[in-house]
Amino acid sequence: MLEGDLVELVPLTPDHLPDLRRIRRTPEVLARWGEPEDDGNDDDVTCFTILLDGAVRGMVQYGEEDDPGYRHASIDIYVDPDVHGRGVGRDAVRTLARHLVDDRGHHRLVIDPAADNAAAIRCYAAVGFRPVGVMRQYERDNDGNGWHDGLLMDLLATELR
C-alpha cells in the first residue's frame, strides 16, 4: 500500500473490478479510456486501485522500461468524476511518482494525456511534469474512426513536487 495525503493506493484485486468498471463507464472516463476490456492483469503494468476514505475512486498504473540505457517509468490514471476537482488525481500521481523515484529508482517518469485534456495536463503539471512535445495522431479515437494528438510530458526525479 502507498499512502498519499488524500488517497491510498492498493494493489488492484478482483474485488475492486465492479467499482472500476462502473467508473470506466462514466461518460467522462469512457470518452478518454474507452470500454473496459480487461481486468488489470496485464504483465507489462502494475495497477493500483485509488481509495479515498476507503472507497474505490479510480485506478493508477505504471509500466517500466528496464533497458539501462533508457530506464524510465510511465504512468496512466483515471479517476471517478464524482471526485474530480478535489485533488484526488494529483495526490495519486504524486504518490505513485514518489514510489517510482524513491523505491523503484527511476530518475525520469513520463505521462501522455490527450493533447486536448486540459484538466489532466493541469493535474500532471501540478506534480511537476513538463510538456516535452505533441505526438501527432498518437492515439486512436475510441470510436475507431480517427486519431488524436497526445502530449508527452516528463518529470525528472529532482522536479517532483
Side-chain angles (χ1 to χ4, degrees):
M1 179 180 67
L2 306 174
E3 284 197 52
D5 294 333
L6 299 173
V7 302
E8 293 178 332
L9 306 182
V10 299
L12 188 148
T13 70
D15 291 341
H16 301 140
L17 293 176
D19 288 321
L20 291 174
R21 287 185 181 121
R22 176 193 56 78
I23 294 166
R24 282 281 300 267
R25 288 189 172 103
T26 61
E28 298 89 338
V29 177
L30 187 63
R32 299 293 180 182
W33 278 71
E35 270 297 323
E37 297 174 1
D38 57 38
D39 58 6
N41 286 330
D42 185 339
D43 289 337
D44 294 334
V45 296
T46 301
C47 300
F48 290 93
T49 300
I50 301 168
L51 299 179
L52 176 67
D53 299 325
V56 173
R57 292 304 190 172
M59 192 271 300
V60 63
Q61 65 186 25
Y62 72 87
E64 296 178 289
E65 171 58 62
D66 287 325
D67 181 320
Y70 299 92
R71 184 164 161 72
H72 71 279
S74 61
I75 298 174
D76 280 311
I77 184 173
Y78 62 87
V79 174
D80 190 336
D82 285 348
V83 296
H84 282 181
R86 294 177 45 191
V88 172
R90 183 176 53 244
D91 191 44
V93 169
R94 181 182 295 117
T95 301
L96 183 56
R98 282 197 176 113
H99 169 66
L100 292 170
V101 168
D102 294 344
D103 302 328
R104 304 286 303 161
H106 289 284
H107 78 287
R108 179 175 171 267
L109 309 176
V110 297
I111 200 161
D112 57 357
D116 67 350
N117 192 342
I121 293 166
R122 277 192 311 273
C123 169
Y124 308 148
V127 175
F129 283 87
R130 296 181 185 185
V132 174
V134 174
M135 300 177 289
R136 299 179 307 146
Q137 296 186 9
Y138 172 66
E139 184 175 43
R140 184 166 294 281
D141 294 338
N142 285 326
D143 64 9
N145 292 324
W147 298 87
H148 60 267
D149 295 347
L151 179 66
L152 179 61
M153 303 179 77
D154 74 1
L155 170 96
L156 300 180
T158 56
E159 298 167 342
L160 180 57
R161 296 183 188 141

